[in-house]
Amino acid sequence: PPYSGEHVDRLYRFAAEMAAQKPSFLLVPNYTIETQLFDDLFEGKDVVFMGPEKRYVYRSPPELRPQLRNKHRKYVAPYVTLWV
């Protein structure tokens, strides 16, 4: 899964390196910004947080899980996502 193990650390390290070259946005779970690594990497940098008015709804592609009816493919993520 993309938000497990060292994936988040690697993502934020890459983003911190690229921040000096070009701006970018990352769509991430809110709990990933509450880490010491995030604070250390982005301390003193201009970081903008943007969140939607309502939680995002994510859908599984029909061909990925054909056994599910349409209403079961639509679900709200178990965490709040925001743009950083």
Side-chain angles (χ1 to χ4, degrees):
Y3 301 115
S4 64
E6 294 183 17
H7 291 118
V8 174
D9 292 355
R10 291 175 57 200
L11 173 67
Y12 284 145
R13 288 181 197 284
F14 176 78
E17 289 175 22
M18 295 303 294
Q21 299 171 26
K22 57 180 133 182
S24 61
F25 277 107
L26 305 170
L27 181 63
V28 297
N30 65 329
Y31 66 85
T32 66
I33 64 168
E34 299 171 353
T35 64
Q36 188 61 50
L37 177 67
F38 186 89
D39 290 343
D40 293 344
L41 290 173
F42 296 101
E43 183 178 2
K45 294 186 174 147
D46 292 329
V47 178
V48 175
F49 300 95
M50 294 176 21
E53 289 184 21
K54 294 187 336 183
R55 289 177 74 165
Y56 287 124
V57 174
Y58 298 92
R59 295 179 186 266
S60 298
E63 60 277 357
L64 182 64
R65 299 172 71 186
Q67 74 277 17
L68 296 180
R69 282 194 234 108
N70 210 19
K71 71 176 186 174
H72 293 118
R73 270 193 217 94
K74 178 180 172 182
Y75 66 93
V76 176
Y79 42 76
V80 176
T81 51
L82 62 125
W83 293 94
V84 178

